[in-house]
Structure formats: structure tokens, C-alpha cells
Amino acid sequence: MTETFGGLTQEVVSGIALGCIYALIALGFTLIYKATEVVNFAQGELMMVGAYVNFFFVSALLEVPLLNGVWAFIIALVGAVAFAVLFGAFLDLIINRPLKDEPVFSVIMATISLAIILRAVMAVIAGPMTRIPPSPFGSSVITFGGVAISTLDMFIILSAVVLVMVFYFFFNRTKWGIAMKATSEDPMAAHLVGIPVKKVYRNVWIFSMVVATIGGVLLAPRTLLDTHMGFLGLKAFPAAVLGGFGSIPGAIVGGVIMGVIETVSMGTLSFHFPWVKEINDIIVWIVLIAVLMIRPAGILGHEEVDRV
Amino acid sequence: MKIRNIILLTLLVALFLGCAGREPTPGVTDSEILIGNIQDLSGPMKELGMALPHGSNLYFNYINGKGGIHGRKIKMVIEDHQYNPQKAVAAAKKLVEQNQVFCFYQVIGTSPCEALRPTLEEYEIPLIAPATQSGTMSDRSRRGWKYIFHTDTGYDKQANILVDYAYEQNGDAKVGVIYQDDDYGANVLKGIAEAEERHGITVQKEAYQRGATDFAGQVMNLLKGGTTHVIIGGVVREPIIVMKTAAAMSYAPQFLGISPTMDHRVVLGAGKEGEGFIVANFAQLYNSDAEGAKLYRELFENSGTDPKVMGMYNFYGFMTAMVLVEGLERAGKRLTRARLIRAMEGFKNWDGMGVFPGISYGPSDRAGTESVVLVANRGGTQQIISDWIE
Amino acid sequence: MKSRYADENLSWIAPLVLLVIAIPFLIRGVTFSYRYYLYVLNIAGIYTILAVGLDILSGYTGLISLGHAGFFAIGAYTSAVLVDQAGIPFGLSLIITPIITGFFGLVVGFPALRVSGMYLGLTTMGFGFIARRLIIALRAWTEGSAGLEVSNPVLFGFEFASDWANYFLIFTFVVAVVVVARRVMNSKIGRAFMAIRDSERAAEAAGVNLTRYKLLAFFMSAVLAGLAGVLFAHTMRFISTDHFDILLSIYFIIMILVGGVGSIYGAVLGSVFIVLLDFLLIPAFKDWMALFVAIEVADIQSLIFGLIMFLFIIFQPMGLYGVWLKMRIYWKLFPFNPKKRFT
């Protein structure tokens, strides 16, 4: 009995770490959706781009003599984030600007094509080989009470929590955040009261790209680096929706629920009930559909009032 | 406007007339043999889509440099199927009808190869050395079996041998398997089921989805089930993460791998957690002393390619190229598709400069090798630790 | 009495049907590789049927579906099992299977009564995954993920065994589906669908029964996807779960978007355009490029595909049908066309 319980604790802890990865991607979805009502199908690919850029920086910097390993990672991260800022602004320029008066459907399709392009371009630049990115934490593991968690996973959880808190604070307490909220409610009215709507949109894409980069940097040592990494974005979709699309704390709530359900169903549940194995890759979807039937806008989402 | 129309029209006509001039045997001229390869260049297996044909071309270029086969040089055309069966069929039709290839070679992936069966039958065109180790490729109850010459030992056979190995090591072994829940895993499970019946045991089975990045649940279950030997049916990423996860939980069974986990990057990526990992392989290692492997290393170094490409997958392309070239050689000067099939059927324990355990085909036998060697990771290098095991 | 279609120019439909019949003969006349072109056209035809169905659901009724590959897969596998294992003739399966798939459409439609927008998109996406899983789990009939060989279609004792025969089988259905779908979309049902898309509240106020019409849209869409699935399974002769993944669902969405949302001809144009682009033009372009530069870059094909899609959506967000409409206006006004109005 204790052994079963011990296993369960371990699975929950691993599930939380996995869930925080989903949360980081879901946060990117949420930011863009919140301000522009666009579902960014390329979010996973943005993460992949960020991870690759960071990887290039790290491999280049590790070659430099006199540079301590830890500093190489820190500088690379700063470099990748700087790139993310520029790239986010660029994406706003090529996607959001030209399509601002078009239906949301068109923008969604633009993001689908963007995903295809980014995957292909990255494969051209980096070659088709799977890369093994170095991790600043090596493979060190922290164990307490029989439950093991890698240092990397600790960092993933930590950064997801911190980022969600930062953005939550930002949207609810700062002038810029409130301006962004207002823009998403009604861009026209926001424009009339003097909010620079274009800048708001640009910032949203930049934020989203930065979050994606941080997610990618943390995820890459865990999963190895290849251009198909972006498909994880599809798994973060149900996380974002479960929490409530457009709700920032919802991203982490949804992500963690998804992650824990996934590991526990693959672990303890399928150990005791073999038929669970047949459904453990769709169990998150079943949960999602069930939740949406009860709360059509997700756990922390608000139902939109439809004005005639 | 008018000029643009004319250009468009010309382009269209050119497109339709893309294949003028038919010859008695398509793809064979006095100076050239054209072969078609359908690879995954942009799908989930795109890494292999680069490594395999590169290895094959090393050998083709070597043969071409020596004057070719009966005076004909080999040229390989590659199409992309993105691991989509329908694209594979479209690409095959394009290769046969537009490029006029002589035969197919090394089409990658089980489901694309299975999807090709009606096309192979339709055009009576052989497919040599499909790049999948699924045992179904040499299954004679399937459509078009006559045209497929499978070189590798099936996943089912490999899984069988690995279970046997576990019991040889430890009479009380408890075996578990982590398999990919797709056609690859289905074939592994088929072998496991046979082994279960033979030994009168049950093997603990844990599934994962293609593209999974977290294996905590499965490893935890294997730990709880008390398994001492774990067979990993993954590719590159899965064995690395599984072994690392297990090490983090201080769980240390003997890990065994099916041949796709053979790549040396598993050894690199897993680091010290991968020590002692044993993989079944159906051929000699690229760094072994076999004549073929020596030739491979020499050609590779002369080619000036990125040394990272060198490895089992690249060597696999090289090895199967030897099979094709041998078949074309045996088919003789007057090359036709039927002659190639007859020549391939004449293979008897052919070992390709020592890299294969002996490939045999026959009029009703399409399975090339039937045995494996075990390769262990010892201190970061892969070493062969057994003889050929049937 | 003035007919409902009086304001529409129908005279070009007959030549179009003749063209559809003539195309394979034309292709066979000019090239030896006609089977390759026909194979690609057959895929285009099958996807057209499905895209028309998706357009009814997403374009006309405004209910987004990211799981149409699921209906497609259910249709394909159901027919394969019915014909090859239960021994039902192909002709009967052509009727039964779409109805079975239609009922799956109703089941998926129920959530649609409660959720909307992206939440619905995600629910249907989940359905796509669940359908795929269901097929794998029923491995006693479907052989799981290993894929299933399927027999040739046999109708009235005639076996369709070549791409040539399949072309006529498939395009008979394509023409029938397009004609019927256009009629239905111009009827009371179609207007109810569009009313729902434009405003649910207004539609309800005007007396449209939301539940009934939303479910009907799902049913019709799934029936067409099921029909496409039947044709797909028996003409491709090998089906595998590798094919029916989420990317295929997204591919279908791309088709109707490129064609122009909310028009049947748009769906036809979009699916034919995308399939020809992906299966025919890009490989041909790649071969042509290879004459001048050595291409070792692997992803060039998907890069071109992505770029074309992207530029298309930036410069022609109305879709192909929109381009066609603009062109028509341009020619109608020909000598007096106002410059710079239709850019």
C-alpha cells in the first residue's frame, strides 16, 4: 500500500513538472488570445525557434575559452530573449499588421502557415539531425522522502509559476496591462480613449515569443531538440482551454491538471486497470470535453456575453 | 498579360510532356540505372531521411567510380513522403511514370511501404531493402509480396531474441517492455506474445505515444511490477529519457533495446545512465572490423561530410546499397525488372563484405536476415558482445 | 414563377461536366504518366467531397471543426470492415457508411450546442484524437495501427481496379455532391445555417430552431466526410491511422480557407488547388529547380507550401473564390474597369 502511494506521489510530482511545460506554452496562447482573439497555431513552433536560437548561442559560447559554463548559459539565455523580442516584433509586422482588418479566421490560417514555414526554415538552418542540447544542471536530481525530481524540472515549475504571477500582476495592476485588457474588450473604444492599439498588439506578440523562448530553453534538455518539438503545442491546447482561454492563472491550472492526469493515468491507473492503457493518450481530451460540458468556458474562464 | 499567358501555357505543356521517349526497360540506359527512393524528408523521421540516402550514395558513388554495374552508373532520385502513405503512393507513381525509374529502393516507414503494395503489383516493379524492420514486410500472405525484398530481421524476431537473452542471463528474470503505440510497437508486441507463449510467462507492457516526452508513469509501473529486464522499443529520444528517468528513481534494471535504438546518439545522450544498455542489431557495427565497415569509414572520411552524420543509420543506408548493387550485378548485362527479381531470389547466405549474418532469398522467401547480434554500451562505446543469434 | 436559380447563370454547368469527363482523356492523350495525374486528381476529388461538407459546417454555419479527419477515418474504416469482413456489397456500404458516420456527427454535434468558437474547435479536435484511438483499440477488426488492406470497389458487377476507373467513380460523386450541396445551401436550410453563423440570437428570434439546425449541419457534414472516407478506403486500397491525424484536419481547414469560406465552389477550388499544389506542382517545381541548383535541403517542399499559403492569405484573404468573383466583375465591366478598386 505504501509503495502504491509512494509511486503516486512521484507521478504527481512528475506530472506537475510536465504540466508546467504545458502551462508555459498555454501562457503564450493565452497572451495572444487575450489581446487579439487570435489562436496562435504556431505557438509550439515559436517555442522550437527559441530553443534552437538558445542552443546556437550556447554551443557557440561554450567554445569560448575563459567563459565559465554557467555564464555561457546565462549569456545565451539573454541573447535568446533579445532575439525573441526582435522576432516577436517582426511577427507582429508580418502577420498582425497586414491582417488587422481581416476576419480572425484568416489570421488563424496565417499562423498555421507560419508554423509550417518556421518548421521548414529551422530544418534548413539547423539540418534534420536531432540535437542533444547541454543542460546547465547536468542530470542532477533532488530527492526528498523517496520522491525524485530533477533540478531542471524544479526550474521549469519555478519559472512557470513566476511567469504566470508576473503576467497576472502586469495585466491587473499596471497601466500597460490594463490598456491591453481594454484593447481586447473593444479595440475601437480603446483607440478612441488614446490607447496605442498597434503598440499593444506588438507587445503581446513580443511577450508571447519571450514566454515561448523561455519554455523552449527549459524544455529542450528534457526532450532533445528537433524541429518537430513544436507539436507539443497541440498538447498544450487542451491545457489552455481547460483553464479557460484568455485566463492567465487558467494556463497554469489547466496545464498542471493535464500533466498530472497524463502521468497518473499512464502510471498508477494503467497499472491497476490495464484497459486505461488503451485510452491514456486521449484521457486529457475526454476530461477536457467533460469539463467543457459543465463549464463551457473552462475552469477559470468567463462566459462571454453575446450582444445582439 | 499575353506574354504571361504564353509562358503559363508553355509551362503546362512542358509539364504534361515531361516524359517523352519510352525505352524497353524503363530507367536503364547504356550508361545509367535510375532508381527511385521515397524518403521522409520533412516528417517525423526526417533525420533518417537525410542519413540513409547519404550512406547509400557513398556506396553508389564508390561503385560508379569503379566503372558502375556492367558499365552503367547508378543514379538515385529521392522523393518526399512526409510519412504519409498517400503521398508515398503519389510519389511512387511519379517516379515510375515521370522519372521512369527502374526499381524502388529503401522506401522508409512501415505504413508507406504497406501502402505501396498495390502500386508495386500494378507496375510489377520491385522494392529492394525497404527501410523498416517490421516483420510484415516479408509476410507472404500480403498483396504484392513478390516484389518486396526485405533485408532486416523483423522487430518481432528481435523482441523474441531479447526475451530469450533475459532468461539466459537470469532464470528468474521479470521482463517488461516499453513500446511505441503504432505499427512499430504492434510488431514488437507480436514478437513478445510469441516469447510469452514459449516461456509460459507474462511480460509487463507499457505503451507510449509517438512524440511523448515524459515516461515517469511507465517507468514507475515497471518499478512497481518489479521488472528486472526492460525492453525499449523506441528510437533515439525514448531510450535516453527512459534510462534517465529510471536512474532518477534509483531503479536499475537491465535495459535492452530494439534495433532503432542502436544509434550512437543514444549512448551520447544517456551518458552514464546509459551504461550497459544492450541493443539487438541485425548487422555488424559501423565501427567494427568487418571489411564492409572499414570501407564505409574510409569512404565517409574521404567524402568530407560532417562527422556527426556517421553512425548506424548512415551505415544502414550504406549496407542496403550493397544489397541492391549485388542484386543488379547478378541480374546481368540485360537488365529487366523480372531479371532483377530472379537474381535477388538467388541470394544464398550472402554476407556483404562481412556486415550481414547472411542474406538468403528464394522464390518464396523474402526475409533477408533472420538473426541479430547484441551490442552493449561499455563506457561510452558500443561493443558487440555475442555471436549471431537466431 | 421565377425560379430560385433564375438569377444565376447555369449555362456553363453542362460544359463543366463535359470538361470533368474529358480531362482524363486529355491527360491520357498527351502524356504517358496519366496514372500519376489521375491518382492526384482522385485524391483531389475525395478531398473535395469532404471539403464541401466541412464548408457546410464551418463556412455556412460557423461551427469550426478541427476533427474532420476523425469522420473521414470512421467512414474509411467502417466501410473497409463492412465490405471486407461483414461481406456487405460496396454499393450498400456507400449508403450505410455515410449514415453511420452521420450519427457520429450527431454525437459530436451535441457538445456544439453548449460550446462555441475555439472551445468548439478544441472539442472537435479532441474528437479527432478519440476517433483515431477508437480505431486502434478495435484492433480485432481494424488491425490497430498496422493499417488495413481494403478491396477494390465493385458496383453492379463492375470492379473499379485502376486509377482510370476510380476517376469516374469519384467524380460522379463529386459532381452530385456539389450540385446537391448548392441546392441545399440556397434553400431554407442553407439560409438557416447562415443566420446561425451571423448571429445565433437573431436566428433564434427569427424562429430558427438552433438545436435542430446545428445538429443537422453536423450530420450533413459528417455524412459527406463518411462518403469521402468510403471512396478513399476502396480506391486507395490501404488505410492506416498514420494518415488520419490532426494535420489532415488542419489541411482540410486550409482548403476551405484558401478556397473562400462559405461558398461551395470555394471549397471545390480550394481542395483541388491545395492537392494539386502539394502533390503535383511543388514536386514538379522541385525537379525543375534541381536542374539548376543542387538541392540537398530536405524541407524545401513544405517550405514552398507554407510560403504560398502565407503569401496567399496576406494578399488574397478572400480566397480563390473571391479572386474569381473579382475577375468576373473585372470582365463584366471590361472596357470601363475602374483601376485600383479590385486590388
Side-chain angles (χ1 to χ4, degrees):
Chain A
M1 189 60 216
T2 46
E3 202 173 65
T4 316
F5 186 67
L8 200 59
T9 327
Q10 173 71 59
E11 278 158 23
V12 170
V13 170
S14 303
I16 291 174
L18 182 66
C20 284
I21 292 172
Y22 294 155
L24 284 174
I25 309 173
L27 187 60
F29 283 131
T30 301
L31 288 174
I32 291 185
Y33 186 77
K34 211 171 160 60
T36 59
E37 302 217 325
V38 168
V39 181
N40 181 14
F41 273 82
Q43 193 65 33
E45 274 67 26
L46 296 187
M47 180 186 76
M48 182 267 293
V49 170
Y52 264 103
V53 169
N54 182 63
F55 171 74
F56 294 146
F57 276 122
V58 169
S59 350
L61 287 169
L62 282 179
E63 303 279 308
V64 179
L66 299 174
L67 198 61
N68 176 307
V70 178
W71 280 105
F73 284 107
I74 293 173
I75 297 172
L77 181 65
V78 172
V81 169
F83 171 83
V85 170
L86 294 177
F87 196 65
F90 172 70
L91 289 180
D92 171 61
L93 198 69
I94 61 165
I95 290 187
N96 229 9
R97 290 284 164 86
L99 292 175
K100 66 178 188 306
D101 297 328
E102 299 300 336
V104 174
F105 233 12
S106 309
V107 191
I108 290 176
M109 190 173 121
T111 66
I112 295 177
S113 349
L114 179 70
I116 299 173
I117 295 172
L118 288 180
R119 259 204 310 277
V121 167
M122 226 25 174
V124 170
I125 296 173
M129 302 282 280
T130 304
R131 303 299 183 96
I132 303 172
S135 159
F137 313 109
S139 49
S140 64
V141 175
I142 303 167
T143 314
F144 38 82
V147 175
I149 179 166
S150 70
T151 320
L152 181 67
D153 283 356
M154 287 287 283
F155 253 85
I156 289 173
I157 296 174
L158 199 70
S159 25
V161 171
V162 167
L163 281 176
V164 165
M165 274 161 54
V166 165
F167 280 109
Y168 187 71
F169 177 80
F170 177 80
F171 271 98
N172 288 305
R173 294 280 181 278
T174 64
K175 204 171 111 189
W176 263 103
I178 292 163
M180 281 185 178
K181 261 170 96 172
T183 313
S184 78
E185 292 277 318
D186 189 342
M188 194 52 127
H191 186 70
L192 288 178
V193 298
I195 293 171
V197 174
K198 278 186 182 171
K199 265 189 193 162
V200 165
Y201 284 166
R202 192 181 62 212
N203 287 357
V204 162
W205 277 87
I206 291 175
F207 286 158
S208 182
M209 182 65 206
V210 169
V211 171
T213 302
I214 293 172
V217 169
L218 289 167
L219 185 59
R222 208 173 186 273
T223 63
L224 307 194
L225 203 49
D226 71 49
T227 50
H228 281 249
M229 184 175 160
F231 284 118
L232 210 66
L234 290 179
K235 292 188 92 173
F237 255 135
V241 170
L242 185 69
F245 230 38
S247 152
I248 287 175
I252 198 161
V253 170
V256 167
I257 291 176
M258 287 290 167
V260 170
I261 288 175
E262 207 180 309
T263 28
V264 171
S265 84
M266 274 195 265
T268 307
L269 276 181
S270 50
F271 188 72
H272 294 288
F273 311 98
W275 56 267
V276 176
K277 271 181 208 147
E278 290 291 351
I279 58 160
N280 65 34
D281 63 321
I282 52 166
I283 203 159
V284 292
W285 292 101
I286 296 174
V287 171
L288 172 76
I289 292 173
V291 168
L292 286 184
M293 289 305 96
I294 300 160
R295 282 190 61 89
I299 295 173
L300 297 183
H302 300 289
E303 232 173 311
E304 278 162 39
V305 183
D306 168 25
R307 275 163 299 229
V308 183
Chain B
M1 193 67 199
K2 252 186 186 162
I3 294 172
R4 195 193 295 165
N5 278 343
I6 291 167
I7 293 173
L8 264 175
L9 205 70
T10 328
L11 274 178
L12 269 176
V13 170
L15 190 76
F16 283 124
L17 298 178
C19 62
R22 286 249 259 199
E23 292 148 26
T25 304
V28 181
T29 62
D30 287 340
S31 58
E32 197 178 78
I33 303 173
L34 199 61
I35 57 171
N37 185 350
I38 311 171
Q39 278 295 333
D40 181 1
L41 299 178
S42 48
M45 300 271 178
K46 66 171 185 293
E47 189 179 20
L48 306 193
M50 186 272 301
L52 299 187
H54 176 267
S56 309
N57 273 328
L58 277 182
Y59 191 68
F60 292 149
N61 291 340
Y62 166 71
I63 291 294
N64 290 346
K66 288 207 312 186
I69 301 166
H70 301 296
R72 297 181 180 112
K73 305 231 191 286
I74 301 179
K75 193 174 165 225
M76 179 161 72
V77 194
I78 305 175
E79 284 292 327
D80 184 10
H81 68 41
Q82 305 173 347
Y83 216 91
N84 178 332
Q86 268 57 53
K87 283 232 170 110
V89 177
K93 295 203 181 221
K94 171 176 183 293
L95 285 172
V96 175
E97 299 202 329
Q98 279 200 330
N99 304 65
Q100 303 262 312
V101 296
F102 170 66
C103 70
F104 290 121
Y105 159 70
Q106 197 186 58
V107 178
I108 198 171
T110 310
S111 51
C113 283
E114 289 288 342
L116 282 190
R117 285 176 186 273
T119 316
L120 299 179
E121 243 180 355
E122 188 184 346
Y123 298 105
E124 299 183 337
I125 184 169
L127 162 61
I128 313 293
T132 158
Q133 283 130 37
S134 175
T136 54
M137 281 283 96
S138 52
D139 183 350
R140 289 200 300 125
S141 64
R142 297 194 178 216
R143 201 186 270 159
W145 63 273
K146 222 180 120 205
Y147 302 100
I148 300 178
F149 288 86
H150 190 217
T151 47
D152 318 336
T153 310
Y155 299 126
D156 45 353
K157 186 96 192 172
Q158 295 179 18
N160 239 317
I161 291 171
L162 286 174
V163 175
D164 288 354
Y165 175 78
Y167 276 90
E168 248 168 60
Q169 294 294 300
N170 176 359
D172 302 323
K174 184 142 187 352
V175 183
V177 59
I178 297 187
Y179 64 96
Q180 184 161 304
D181 201 355
D182 64 359
D183 43 4
Y184 166 24
N187 203 243
V188 171
L189 283 190
K190 185 168 162 262
I192 295 279
E194 283 163 22
E196 277 178 329
E197 205 169 307
R198 248 175 331 108
H199 291 276
I201 49 160
T202 41
V203 171
Q204 188 179 339
K205 302 174 194 74
E206 299 295 333
Y208 71 85
Q209 298 308 313
R210 207 188 276 169
T213 56
D214 193 277
F215 296 84
Q218 289 94 330
V219 175
M220 200 67 221
N221 282 356
L222 291 167
L223 173 62
K224 278 190 273 186
T227 52
T228 56
H229 291 73
V230 175
I231 298 173
I232 305 176
V235 187
V236 172
R237 179 204 298 151
E238 298 82 8
I240 297 178
I241 303 178
V242 166
M243 289 191 282
K244 286 196 164 175
T245 312
M249 296 177 186
S250 349
Y251 168 48
Q254 172 65 54
F255 285 109
L256 306 162
I258 307 283
S259 58
T261 61
M262 181 66 219
D263 200 65
H264 66 296
R265 272 167 313 145
V266 174
V267 173
L268 284 180
K272 66 179 194 314
E273 285 86 2
E275 178 68 25
F277 181 45
I278 295 176
V279 186
N281 194 31
F282 49 87
Q284 283 286 351
L285 291 184
Y286 72 101
N287 54 10
S288 68
D289 289 333
E291 282 301 309
K294 280 185 192 158
L295 177 66
Y296 164 72
R297 290 199 297 273
E298 189 193 320
L299 294 176
F300 189 95
E301 272 147 30
N302 292 340
S303 74
T305 324
D306 181 2
K308 278 194 196 118
V309 177
M310 186 192 257
M312 258 342 269
Y313 288 132
N314 194 234
F315 184 49
Y316 176 77
F318 186 84
M319 294 188 305
T320 53
M322 298 202 305
V323 177
L324 176 68
V325 167
E326 178 69 17
L328 292 170
E329 196 87 54
R330 290 187 187 200
K333 183 96 183 108
R334 283 183 51 220
L335 195 57
T336 63
R337 285 169 183 164
R339 273 164 192 268
L340 176 65
I341 291 176
R342 262 207 307 285
M344 291 297 297
E345 283 172 351
F347 273 52
K348 283 283 166 295
N349 268 322
W350 180 78
D351 73 348
M353 292 195 265
V355 298
F356 289 110
I359 294 184
S360 304
Y361 297 112
S364 59
D365 177 12
R366 290 293 184 264
T369 63
E370 300 267 22
S371 45
V372 296
V373 281
L374 298 180
V375 180
N377 172 16
R378 295 275 154 79
T381 48
Q382 291 171 304
Q383 291 168 8
I384 291 184
I385 56 160
S386 76
D387 293 328
W388 294 110
I389 310 174
E390 285 251 355
Chain C
M1 186 186 137
K2 194 181 166 191
S3 149
R4 190 182 291 143
Y5 300 99
D7 54 341
E8 206 182 333
N9 183 2
L10 291 174
S11 57
W12 55 282
I13 282 187
L16 198 69
V17 171
L18 277 178
L19 184 68
V20 166
I21 296 171
I23 280 175
F25 291 95
L26 277 175
I27 294 177
R28 194 166 68 166
V30 295
T31 168
F32 290 111
S33 37
Y34 72 94
R35 280 182 287 195
Y36 164 49
Y37 296 123
L38 283 182
Y39 178 80
V40 174
L41 283 179
N42 287 348
I43 295 180
I46 291 170
Y47 287 176
T48 299
I49 296 175
L50 195 137
V52 167
L54 183 61
D55 204 27
I56 290 175
L57 184 66
S58 301
Y60 281 92
T61 323
L63 303 168
I64 186 168
S65 167
L66 289 174
H68 251 56
F71 295 120
F72 191 41
I74 288 174
Y77 270 93
T78 307
S79 180
V81 170
L82 284 180
V83 173
D84 291 350
Q85 288 164 37
I88 289 172
F90 172 74
L92 201 56
S93 166
L94 265 178
I95 299 164
I96 298 177
T97 308
I99 294 174
I100 294 176
T101 322
F103 280 108
F104 276 95
L106 288 183
V107 172
V108 179
F110 274 109
L113 303 177
R114 247 179 100 57
V115 294
S116 59
M118 263 334 276
Y119 294 96
L120 179 63
L122 268 287
T123 309
T124 48
M125 192 183 195
F127 163 74
F129 286 109
I130 292 170
R132 191 160 169 262
R133 195 65 233 173
L134 190 72
I135 287 165
I136 295 178
L138 296 173
R139 51 177 68 80
W141 295 301
T142 62
E143 299 197 12
S145 41
L148 192 61
E149 288 189 354
V150 190
S151 61
N152 284 329
V154 181
L155 261 187
F156 310 116
F158 180 80
E159 185 175 358
F160 295 82
S162 65
D163 295 322
W164 178 264
N166 288 340
Y167 176 88
F168 292 100
L169 175 70
I170 291 167
F171 276 85
T172 310
F173 281 99
V174 172
V175 170
V177 162
V178 169
V179 169
V180 172
R182 267 188 72 79
R183 289 230 145 207
V184 174
M185 285 308 107
N186 278 332
S187 71
K188 183 186 159 202
I189 298 175
R191 285 193 299 273
F193 285 170
M194 286 184 268
I196 292 175
R197 175 189 64 194
D198 295 339
S199 165
E200 285 191 11
R201 296 290 154 84
E204 208 172 11
V208 174
N209 183 335
L210 284 187
T211 310
R212 188 192 295 163
Y213 279 102
K214 278 187 176 180
L215 288 180
L216 184 65
F218 262 100
F219 181 78
M220 284 167 60
S221 186
V223 163
L224 289 181
L227 177 64
V230 178
L231 293 171
F232 183 82
H234 292 271
T235 55
M236 301 297 142
R237 295 153 82 196
F238 175 80
I239 48 177
S240 138
T241 45
D242 273 342
H243 183 247
F244 306 105
D245 58 3
I246 170 73
L247 292 180
L248 189 67
S249 297
I250 294 179
Y251 201 72
F252 292 140
I253 291 282
I254 292 182
M255 283 175 191
I256 62 166
L257 284 171
V258 164
V261 185
S263 91
I264 300 293
Y265 291 143
V268 176
L269 284 174
S271 44
V272 171
F273 174 74
I274 292 285
V275 171
L276 290 189
L277 187 69
D278 198 21
F279 282 80
L280 209 65
L281 297 180
I282 294 180
F285 178 71
K286 192 198 63 186
D287 278 4
W288 178 75
M289 257 172 78
L291 297 176
F292 306 104
V293 280
I295 306 179
E296 293 232 356
V297 176
D299 268 8
I300 197 82
Q301 239 164 292
S302 41
L303 179 60
I304 298 171
F305 184 79
L307 275 178
I308 290 178
M309 289 302 94
F310 190 77
L311 296 176
F312 200 91
I313 205 68
I314 297 286
F315 294 108
Q316 288 299 345
M318 293 275 287
L320 282 171
Y321 193 60
V323 175
W324 161 246
L325 288 182
K326 280 181 210 165
M327 269 166 51
R328 205 170 62 175
I329 295 170
Y330 184 89
W331 286 117
K332 265 188 186 162
L333 303 173
F334 175 58
F336 313 104
N337 36 41
K339 287 250 158 86
K340 286 186 181 174
R341 186 172 290 179
F342 299 107
T343 48

